[in-house]
Structure formats: C-alpha cells, structure tokens
C-alpha cells in the first residue's frame, strides 16, 4: 500500500508540476499575446496618425495652391484691367487728336474758301485791280475747292 501511495504521491507531484508548468506557459503565452496586441494597436495608431498628418499636409498644400492660383488670377485680371484702361485712354486720346486735326483741316479749308470767295467778290466788284490772267486763275480754284467740299 505504501508503494501505491508513493506512486500516487509521485503522480500527484508530477501532475502538480505539469499543472504549474502549464499555468506558467499559459501566462507566458497570454503575456506574449497581450504584447503582440499592444504592438499591433500602437502600429495601427501610428499608421492612423501618419495618414491623418499626410492628409492634413495634402489639404494644406491644396489650400495654398488654390490661394496662390486665385492670387495669380486676381493679379492677371488687374493687369488686364489696367491694360484695357490704358488702351481705352490711348484710343480716346487718339480720337481726340484725330478730331482736333480734322477740325484744323476743316478750318484751314474753310479759311481758304472764305479767302477765295472774298477775292472773287472783290474781283467781281472791281474793287481790286487785277490782271485779266489772275481773274481766270482765281475762279478756277474756287470751283474746284467748292467741289471738293461737296
């Protein structure tokens, strides 16, 4: 009986030792799994933060790009408006100078016509002594000037 008891005691010690070893290995495996999950979570969190930072930088870059493009567009529009205003002023100035030149030419032509008409009246009245060849010359240009005016 003692032998049976010793065997049972030995079997109980082996079983207890195996049970303790199983518990130790289970605890070790559980700790390793917890560490793996913690690392996985931190890696995932780090990747999420990196993706969010990249997204934020991309949005900031796009905002900056669009702001720069808008600023360039406003500058281009301002230059276009300034150029258009300059062209309009130059065109208006040119129109004024052309009109002034046309008025000067018309005044000169009218002065010539007036002078010729005055000369014709003086010749017709006989108030001015003129040679017969001058009478013919003074009449011909007046008719041609009058025809040009029409």
């Amino acid at each position: 009986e003692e032998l049976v008891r010793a065997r049972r005691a030995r079997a109980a010690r082996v079983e207890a030792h195996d049970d303790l070893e199983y518990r130790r290995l289970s605890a070790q495996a559980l700790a390793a799994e917890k560490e793996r999950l913690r690392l996985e979570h931190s890696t995932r969190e780090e990747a999420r933060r990196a993706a969010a930072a990249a997204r934020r930088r991309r949005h900031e870059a796009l905002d900056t790009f669009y702001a720069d493009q808008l600023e360039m567009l406003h500058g281009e529009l301002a230059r276009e408006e300034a150029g258009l205003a300059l062209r309009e002023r130059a065109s208006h100035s040119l129109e004024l100078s052309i009109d002034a030149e046309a008025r000067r030419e018309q005044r000169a032509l009218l002065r010539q016509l007036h002078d010729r008409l005055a000369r014709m009246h003086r010749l017709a009245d006989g108030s001015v002594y003129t040679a017969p060849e001058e009478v013919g010359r003074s009449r011909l240009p007046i008719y041609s000037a009058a025809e040009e005016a029409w």
Side-chain angles (χ1 to χ4, degrees), residues 119 122-123 125-131 134:
R119 192 180 321 142
R122 281 191 310 264
L123 290 175
D125 290 344
S127 61
V128 177
Y129 174 77
T130 53
E134 189 176 315

Side-chain angles (χ1 to χ4, degrees), residues 1 3 72-73 81 94 99-100 109 112 122 133 141-142:
E1 238 186 74
L3 189 59
M72 285 174 36
L73 179 62
E81 287 175 3
L94 183 61
D99 287 346
L109 181 61
Q112 286 176 355
R122 281 191 310 264
E133 61 272 1
I142 200 96

Side-chain angles (χ1 to χ4, degrees), residues 53 69 93-94 135 146:
Q69 292 295 312
S93 175
L94 183 61
V135 171

Side-chain angles (χ1 to χ4, degrees), residues 8 18 28 45 67-70 110 112 120 126 131:
R8 282 187 191 155
D18 286 347
Q28 197 176 21
E45 188 63 25
D68 290 347
Q69 292 295 312
L70 193 57
L110 285 175
Q112 286 176 355
M120 266 181 57

Side-chain angles (χ1 to χ4, degrees), residues 109 113 116 137-150:
L109 181 61
L113 287 174
R116 286 183 183 175
R137 269 188 296 154
S138 67
R139 286 188 181 215
L140 290 176
I142 200 96
Y143 291 123
S144 62
E147 288 174 1
E148 287 175 17
W150 288 101

Side-chain angles (χ1 to χ4, degrees), residues 69-83:
Q69 292 295 312
L70 193 57
E71 185 179 330
M72 285 174 36
L73 179 62
H74 286 298
E76 184 66 27
L77 287 174
R79 283 189 296 280
E80 289 281 334
E81 287 175 3

